[in-house]
Amino acid sequence: ALEPDAALALVCQRLGVVSVPAPVAQLLHTKAEGNPFYSQELAYTLRDSGLIRIADGECHLAEGRIDLNTVDLPDTVQGLITSRIDRLPPQQQLTLKAASVIGRSFGLEALQHIYPVAVDRVALPEHLAALDRLDLTTQETPAPHPTYLFKHFITRDVAYNLMLFAQRKQLHQAVAEWYETTFSPELALYYELLAHHWLTAEAPDRARGYLEKAGDQALESYANEEAIRFYSQALGLPGSEIERGRRAHLELRLGEAYVNATQY
């Protein structure tokens, strides 16, 4: 936790103002209790909901409001972020949710490939610019291959968990297929990532194949603990039977990793 003055300075910096009205400072002190991220998201929630107004570097309470004591605000940072996402236009909400499937860091090309509404893909840079202005995401690298970053991993997790399971499943499959197509010559760099996406897409056989390859790669590099993790996960995947010869091969390789790690 930050000291009250430091928490207030952080909020002012994030809002781009010199100071905030006394009712805002009191609310921040009471609800956030110095937690930096909660303080920041609480300030953004007040701004996005119109409870405070920022103009020319100054922060004011909304017209006609004299205090914030009666305002009902979420008690968790996840609740604050959810309320902010709920206020977004549908296209920006979907942009945020689709990006969360790719990861905390995501590229525009991958997002355009998996975005469910094909006719809206051309507008994605505009949606991302709006999300940047709202401090939900930020541009990490510039054109011609721009990448973006969720401002905080909690923001990414909240956006991800707002989706239905069936929607997440379809998007994970789309991400996996994009990696397989785009990086086919250097797919070995993405074995673990592909296993994650195929597993979440409920394709255990596809996931097992990449876990086995990741395990072989780790074993050859003497990364025995990683190899143990990959082989064990491949053997323990639910939802499909492993052919006996393949199971034997995986168990043999797992045994080699255990021996190399002196875990007899």
Side-chain angles (χ1 to χ4, degrees):
L2 297 174
E3 292 296 324
D5 289 346
L8 202 57
L10 171 67
V11 166
C12 290
Q13 190 271 337
R14 291 290 189 264
L15 294 176
V17 298
V18 176
S19 63
V20 296
V24 175
Q26 181 60 40
L27 180 70
L28 289 166
H29 176 67
T30 302
K31 288 192 72 71
E33 297 180 340
N35 182 290
F37 191 52
Y38 189 93
S39 299
Q40 169 185 300
E41 290 301 315
L42 181 56
Y44 289 152
T45 299
L46 295 174
R47 179 196 65 186
D48 296 351
S49 61
L51 291 169
I52 59 174
R53 184 169 46 85
I54 297 170
D56 300 325
E58 294 185 355
C59 177
H60 304 279
L61 289 177
E63 188 174 352
R65 182 171 288 280
I66 59 174
D67 64 59
L68 299 172
N69 294 329
T70 60
V71 176
D72 185 19
L73 293 167
D75 292 324
T76 65
V77 69
Q78 290 86 352
L80 289 172
I81 296 171
T82 300
S83 70
R84 295 185 65 206
I85 294 174
D86 286 343
R87 291 189 184 93
L88 297 173
Q91 296 89 343
Q92 292 176 20
Q93 288 191 36
L94 185 56
T95 299
L96 207 61
K97 292 173 183 177
S100 73
V101 174
I102 301 172
R104 186 180 176 193
S105 178
F106 57 94
L108 177 60
E109 294 174 18
L111 182 59
Q112 287 175 325
H113 177 83
I114 72 166
Y115 193 77
V117 185
V119 294
D120 287 343
R121 290 172 182 168
V122 68
L124 282 174
E126 298 174 18
H127 300 331
L128 290 166
L131 295 172
D132 193 337
R133 288 192 295 272
L134 292 170
D135 299 289
L136 290 166
T137 63
T138 186
Q139 187 167 343
E140 194 175 22
T141 60
H145 302 291
T147 62
Y148 299 82
L149 182 74
F150 280 90
K151 280 290 189 74
H152 199 282
F153 72 91
I154 296 178
T155 306
R156 181 260 170 188
D157 289 349
V158 169
Y160 184 82
N161 289 322
L162 286 174
M163 284 185 291
L164 297 174
F165 178 78
Q167 189 179 26
R168 296 203 301 253
K169 176 181 170 182
Q170 292 174 351
L171 290 173
H172 276 289
Q173 178 173 335
V175 174
E177 291 171 344
W178 180 80
Y179 270 100
E180 289 177 338
T181 302
T182 306
F183 299 106
S184 55
E186 49 191 14
L187 210 56
L189 297 172
Y190 303 99
Y191 286 157
E192 183 178 6
L193 184 63
L194 282 160
H196 161 71
H197 285 298
W198 280 120
L199 183 59
T200 315
E202 289 193 331
D205 289 331
R206 300 289 293 271
R208 183 178 291 111
Y210 284 115
L211 285 169
E212 182 177 351
K213 291 177 179 179
D216 291 345
Q217 194 177 60
L219 192 63
E220 290 164 7
S221 303
Y222 299 100
N224 297 302
E225 295 295 339
E226 287 190 15
I228 290 169
R229 177 165 58 87
F230 291 136
Y231 290 135
S232 298
Q233 192 175 358
L235 285 163
L237 285 181
S240 67
E241 293 295 327
I242 310 177
E243 189 270 327
R244 291 175 64 188
R246 189 176 183 190
R247 175 177 289 279
H249 172 75
L250 283 168
E251 289 180 344
L252 178 62
R253 298 291 274 175
L254 175 59
E256 292 176 19
Y258 275 128
V259 168
N260 290 346
T262 65
Q263 296 184 31
Y264 302 118

